[in-house]
Amino acid sequence: MHKITEKLLLEKGSPKTNKLEQIKTLNLSKLALKVQDLPARLLSRLQSLERWDLSGNRLQELPKNLELPALRYLDLSDNQMEDVTTLESLGGLEELKIEDNLYITVSDNYKLMTLLPNLRIYNGKDITTTANHLRYVYTENLRTRIIAVWEKSFSLPDPITPEKLSTLKTDFVNATRQQVKFGPASVSDFTKWKVEIMAKEYLRSLTEPKEEPQSEEPTDTKDNCEVSTPTKRKQTTPVTDSSINLTPRKKLCADLPASPVGDSPRKASLRFKPQPLMQSIRMSPRKAAQPPSTPTRAQTRAETPKRGSKVRQTKEDGAQIKQKEGVSRKELQRDADTLPTLKICSQTQQPVHLKPLHVLQCHSKQDSSEDFSTQLWACAFQPMPDSTGAGGGSRLVATCGGDSLCVIDCETGIVMKKYKVPGEEFFSLAWSTVLMSRGGNASAQHCSILAAGGKRGLVKLIHPRNNVAYGEFRASRKSLSVLRFNHHRGNFLFTGSYDNKIVMWDIGGVDSQYNYKVVQLLVLEISATPLHICLPPTSPNSHLLTACEDGLHCFNTQLGTNTTTKRSKEMEITFPIYKKEDKDHDYHTIDGLSFLTDDIVASKSYMHGAIYLWSWSRTKAQRPDKKNREVCAVVLAELQWTNTEIPYLALNTCPGRAYIVCGDDKGRLWTYHISSLQKNSLQTGKPIQPTEVLEWPTPERKGLGQVEGPSINSVAMDPELHFLVALSDKNMVIVWKRDGEQESS
């Protein structure tokens, strides 16, 4: 009879409940348990179990086929463990303690790192970098050697029979175990074990090839839009004042007249309130060496239309806009039957109503309230700090521009943290959650970190909660244009730079002393400056979309499947508007990109005057043209936006509320509640109008009247759209809040 019973589990588990399915923490330490005392079927009912203490027992292995999907922490210290492969079914483990097990070897440590893909803390230490090296780099070297053995000495029998295949399998596995040598002798047991597994997988791939999802004949992508072979495009030459000395900025900005700004009351509650700063984040550790200088923005973007051209005029006033000559809607109408997929929210959910709450000048040069020239570039809400969602955090938004980065409480308008680097100009930032190991018997904890980068090509790593800027590393010798974390693997960071590259980094976790290690994993080579990076929600570990100056490109980022660390684009996604290009109109600059759902993508080109909604899965399913790797986006809908020639006004999405928001060059916010789209929306031949256009709140400057609407460079929303934050090119952070009447919706 098993020692472990349902009654004992309920006694030892917490929170106290009468259902095994609700237990989250279980302490079965020091019960002299052996593997036969652990009933797998009963234990597998612990579907919510997150932490399990089995220390101080007599376990040599765990029961096979143990299913605990929520388990993140396991303590097996002070046991008699020998067979670590029985932990393979616990794939969600992030932290494992297995100290004081006499028979555990270095090879066993390596086996655990490859068997448990999410393992980050091992015996109290962060092993993320080592584990990822084993999972990808080391494994890739083994795969290369295994293939070499096959090509040298083996081939498939003809005909293939079960008997011949069985003999071939035995001979091939034995040969690879003997001939493949890699790594130190201390891990030879691990190498042979891993080689045997990989040799069987390789042979299986030869005898059981996967079926191609597409036919062998190239798909005619012109069913959706006819895109001719791209010709060399003429860029519009910007008209700029030669007397202007450009600092490295994304674009020129006509500054407001230099006039004193006082602190008299402004219109309504929208007063500019330079916020009192809490203590600044300390720089520890900090590199002393100065980074090499980088070319100015004017040099790196010479062919791109600049904001400072005074001859540029927007072509519309008010929310109702006369549409430019557009492309034929025939190709769009054929996809109208896909619009029901846009019904992603409850039928009863109504559009939200937003009201302006704060206007802040927290990135001013020398904290001057007269600074209306610093351009603000990126903002993002803090994600939930741990896997359970405890602690909230959705009220905090990070913003960057000029030489500073701020963390703002949207409700109060108070700048909670401010991080400043003289001489830097920040262009992008990104939040992530990593594990912090604390040593001793303390378990690791999740912590929210910020990465930020810009003109200097350096990535700053910051832990805002503890006021610590704990490190930096050089990502490029050119300026950084965009940063993006993989939220499925919070330690994987992508950086895009002005040397036309996107680099994938493993930044690991941190310990209590903020020691960390950064490793470069991949380099994606592109043909122009990356402006945005998106990871498809359904395949964040294998695909990357990047919106660039010359189009929208897709890359394969799957680790361990390609022997090279440098990759070129897998395909380029084109759009119907490309057919209308001429010497004065180049629509290839994609300056807005974001996923609305797991499949629906919103993107825009600034000269188009519209936002495309298109299907990622249906677009990806097409076979790219062999010559130029092009596929045409399967467009689902077209949303009316402003007509402007000012680039880099980024859009953003709020999947939880089915919202798309994009600012314009007059301080307005165009909002679209996509769940309310109707099936016949495209059949009228006109783009879909915005749900609401939020007008610029027109704050006032003392003695100078109202501040004209600036260009809105970036927007961000928290997951439930309680707050919307917009950044302008005139040093203003505008916080909008959902009307209280909508809180219950």
Side-chain angles (χ1 to χ4, degrees):
M1 183 176 179
H2 294 302
K3 286 187 178 182
I4 301 302
T5 63
E6 181 173 350
K7 180 180 179 181
L8 180 65
L9 294 178
L10 293 173
E11 289 176 357
K12 296 286 187 178
S14 66
K16 294 304 178 182
T17 177
N18 59 359
K19 294 182 179 180
L20 293 181
E21 291 77 10
Q22 296 177 354
I23 292 177
K24 293 187 175 182
T25 302
L26 182 62
N27 186 347
L28 297 180
S29 63
K30 300 178 181 179
L31 296 179
L33 297 173
K34 297 182 179 181
V35 65
Q36 56 265 32
D37 298 324
L38 299 177
R41 180 175 296 182
L42 179 64
L43 291 170
S44 294
R45 291 174 56 190
L46 299 165
Q47 293 294 293
S48 299
L49 185 64
E50 298 175 1
R51 300 176 63 85
W52 192 10
D53 187 351
L54 281 169
S55 61
N57 286 294
R58 300 177 185 175
L59 296 171
Q60 294 179 319
E61 61 182 17
L62 288 186
K64 293 180 175 61
N65 302 320
L66 195 59
E67 297 180 4
L68 299 171
L71 190 65
R72 298 294 178 265
Y73 171 92
L74 177 62
D75 189 349
L76 284 171
S77 55
D78 191 18
N79 273 278
Q80 300 169 13
M81 292 294 295
E82 294 183 18
D83 185 4
V84 298
T85 62
T86 56
L87 274 69
E88 184 176 13
S89 63
L90 307 178
L93 271 184
E94 295 179 349
E95 182 173 359
L96 174 65
K97 289 188 176 183
I98 201 167
E99 296 170 305
D100 298 325
N101 281 266
L102 182 62
Y103 305 111
I104 296 297
T105 65
V106 176
S107 288
D108 290 322
N109 295 338
Y110 279 24
K111 289 178 183 179
L112 286 167
M113 292 180 195
T114 55
L115 287 171
L116 303 173
N118 295 317
L119 188 64
R120 292 186 274 180
I121 305 296
Y122 185 65
N123 291 336
K125 296 181 180 179
D126 184 353
I127 50 91
T128 306
T129 301
T130 303
N132 283 332
H133 180 83
L134 278 175
R135 294 162 187 160
Y136 307 121
V137 181
Y138 195 97
T139 301
E140 207 48 60
N141 276 289
L142 294 182
R143 181 178 287 106
T144 301
R145 287 163 169 77
I146 290 169
I147 295 174
V149 172
W150 172 267
E151 293 178 344
K152 180 181 179 180
S153 308
F154 294 91
S155 62
L156 290 175
D158 187 15
I160 297 177
T161 64
E163 294 78 11
K164 292 180 179 180
L165 197 58
S166 177
T167 301
L168 176 64
K169 179 179 178 181
T170 301
D171 294 344
F172 179 52
V173 169
N174 289 337
T176 54
R177 282 174 58 90
Q178 293 175 6
Q179 297 178 33
V180 173
K181 307 291 183 183
F182 189 69
S186 59
V187 295
S188 60
D189 179 60
F190 163 76
T191 302
K192 290 181 179 180
W193 171 80
K194 188 64 177 175
V195 164
E196 179 175 344
I197 294 173
M198 295 177 65
K200 292 177 180 177
E201 290 176 348
Y202 180 69
L203 184 57
R204 192 180 305 117
S205 71
L206 297 177
T207 57
E208 301 174 9
K210 294 181 179 179
E211 295 184 4
E212 289 289 334
Q214 304 94 355
S215 63
E216 293 186 2
E217 294 299 320
T219 302
D220 186 4
T221 60
K222 295 181 182 181
D223 286 345
N224 294 308
C225 69
E226 296 181 2
V227 181
S228 58
T229 303
T231 58
K232 189 172 182 180
R233 299 183 296 278
K234 245 184 177 180
Q235 297 285 349
T236 305
T237 304
V239 181
T240 57
D241 188 344
S242 60
S243 65
I244 296 177
N245 184 18
L246 271 177
T247 58
R249 302 169 103 183
K250 284 194 175 178
K251 41 191 176 288
L252 289 169
C253 174
D255 294 340
L256 292 176
S259 303
V261 179
D263 295 322
S264 63
R266 269 75 170 187
K267 184 176 180 180
S269 62
L270 300 175
R271 294 173 291 178
F272 292 114
K273 298 181 285 187
Q275 299 297 322
L277 304 180
M278 306 298 283
Q279 62 185 55
S280 299
I281 297 176
R282 61 182 181 273
M283 296 289 291
S284 171
R286 180 94 179 262
K287 291 184 179 179
Q290 291 297 323
S293 60
T294 57
T296 64
R297 280 301 157 107
Q299 293 170 328
T300 59
R301 308 288 280 278
E303 71 276 8
T304 305
K306 302 296 192 296
R307 182 169 292 186
S309 284
K310 296 184 179 180
V311 298
R312 288 259 164 81
Q313 299 291 333
T314 55
K315 300 179 180 179
E316 50 78 23
D317 289 295
Q320 299 301 320
I321 299 171
K322 182 179 179 181
Q323 184 186 352
K324 284 184 180 180
E325 179 185 0
V327 298
S328 169
R329 295 302 188 288
K330 290 182 180 179
E331 59 268 76
L332 303 184
Q333 289 176 6
R334 72 176 70 251
D335 294 312
D337 60 340
T338 66
L339 279 179
T341 62
L342 298 178
K343 300 278 187 177
I344 55 179
C345 287
S346 168
Q347 294 284 345
T348 60
Q349 190 177 72
Q350 298 298 316
V352 301
H353 180 60
L354 295 161
K355 291 184 177 180
L357 185 63
H358 305 291
V359 181
L360 310 175
Q361 281 181 287
C362 49
H363 293 269
S364 301
K365 298 183 183 75
Q366 300 177 346
D367 296 325
S368 170
S369 60
E370 298 182 11
D371 179 5
F372 283 86
S373 61
T374 297
Q375 298 201 61
L376 311 184
W377 289 114
C379 55
F381 277 86
Q382 180 184 13
M384 297 303 181
D386 58 38
S387 59
T388 65
S394 62
R395 282 174 44 170
L396 296 181
V397 67
T399 61
C400 73
D403 63 1
S404 60
L405 182 151
C406 296
V407 178
I408 302 168
D409 185 320
C410 290
E411 183 66 48
T412 64
I414 294 176
V415 179
M416 306 300 293
K417 319 281 182 182
K418 186 169 184 179
Y419 172 65
K420 201 165 187 176
V421 182
E424 178 64 278
E425 186 171 2
F426 288 109
F427 296 139
S428 187
L429 57 79
W431 288 95
S432 189
T433 301
V434 300
L435 281 178
M436 174 181 280
S437 57
R438 296 185 288 175
N441 294 323
S443 61
Q445 65 179 14
H446 291 82
C447 64
S448 292
I449 65 164
L450 266 175
K455 180 180 69 175
R456 289 182 170 182
L458 297 172
V459 174
K460 303 287 184 178
L461 299 174
I462 303 166
H463 185 199
R465 181 175 180 180
N466 285 1
N467 287 348
V468 175
Y470 66 87
E472 68 179 24
F473 66 93
R474 176 162 293 285
S476 174
R477 294 197 174 276
K478 295 289 184 71
S479 301
L480 300 179
S481 56
V482 60
L483 277 67
R484 172 74 67 175
F485 276 103
N486 179 345
H487 289 298
H488 283 236
R489 295 188 175 181
N491 50 297
F492 285 2
L493 172 67
F494 293 92
T495 60
S497 53
Y498 281 82
D499 55 0
N500 300 344
K501 292 179 181 178
I502 295 175
V503 182
M504 179 180 178
W505 307 89
D506 178 2
I507 66 166
V510 294
D511 61 19
S512 57
Q513 301 301 313
Y514 288 98
N515 295 311
Y516 69 101
K517 185 177 181 180
V518 177
V519 177
Q520 179 178 303
L521 299 176
L522 279 180
V523 177
L524 309 180
E525 297 178 331
I526 50 184
S527 52
T529 303
L531 303 177
H532 299 280
I533 294 173
C534 277
L535 305 179
T538 56
S539 56
N541 299 324
S542 59
H543 290 93
L544 176 146
L545 294 175
T546 178
C548 302
E549 296 277 9
D550 67 345
L552 181 59
H553 307 290
C554 176
F555 288 84
N556 176 9
T557 57
Q558 182 73 52
L559 296 172
T561 60
N562 194 325
T563 56
T564 178
T565 58
K566 290 188 177 181
R567 301 182 186 178
S568 56
K569 69 182 179 183
E570 190 174 61
M571 64 182 178
E572 178 180 355
I573 298 171
T574 62
F575 295 94
I577 190 63
Y578 287 5
K579 295 188 300 181
K580 294 296 180 178
E581 288 188 339
D582 54 35
K583 64 179 182 179
D584 296 321
H585 299 90
D586 180 357
Y587 300 110
H588 271 66
T589 297
I590 307 298
D591 59 353
L593 179 69
S594 185
F595 273 82
L596 178 65
T597 70
D598 287 353
D599 182 55
I600 299 172
V601 190
S603 65
K604 77 175 183 69
S605 172
Y606 69 95
M607 297 185 73
H608 180 197
I611 297 170
Y612 278 133
L613 294 185
W614 50 279
S615 168
W616 159 243
S617 62
R618 293 178 61 186
T619 300
K620 179 168 63 77
Q622 300 175 89
R623 182 180 293 276
D625 180 273
K626 292 182 179 180
K627 181 179 180 181
N628 49 31
R629 309 298 297 167
E630 289 183 356
V631 298
C632 186
V634 178
V635 177
L636 306 177
E638 190 174 327
L639 311 180
Q640 179 67 60
W641 185 58
T642 191
N643 284 343
T644 181
E645 293 185 358
I646 293 182
Y648 319 128
L649 308 180
L651 60 81
N652 211 334
T653 58
C654 179
R657 283 278 169 173
Y659 257 80
I660 300 173
V661 177
C662 189
D664 66 13
D665 54 356
K666 295 187 177 181
R668 298 174 302 188
L669 296 172
W670 296 60
T671 68
Y672 309 85
H673 189 220
I674 303 304
S675 66
S676 61
L677 289 180
Q678 300 299 318
K679 182 176 179 179
N680 61 354
S681 296
L682 288 177
Q683 297 177 359
T684 60
K686 297 180 181 180
I688 299 164
Q689 295 298 311
T691 304
E692 184 180 8
V693 177
L694 303 175
E695 295 294 333
W696 172 242
T698 60
E700 296 182 355
R701 298 176 61 189
K702 183 178 180 181
L704 296 175
Q706 297 177 346
V707 178
E708 293 182 1
S711 292
I712 302 299
N713 289 339
S714 181
V715 294
M717 294 161 277
D718 70 280
E720 289 300 320
L721 196 45
H722 294 300
F723 296 100
L724 185 154
V725 174
L727 304 187
S728 77
D729 66 342
K730 294 181 181 177
N731 188 31
M732 286 178 280
V733 178
I734 305 96
V735 179
W736 298 73
K737 183 179 180 181
R738 197 166 82 196
D739 192 359
E741 295 179 358
Q742 300 292 332
E743 293 297 327
S744 60
S745 65

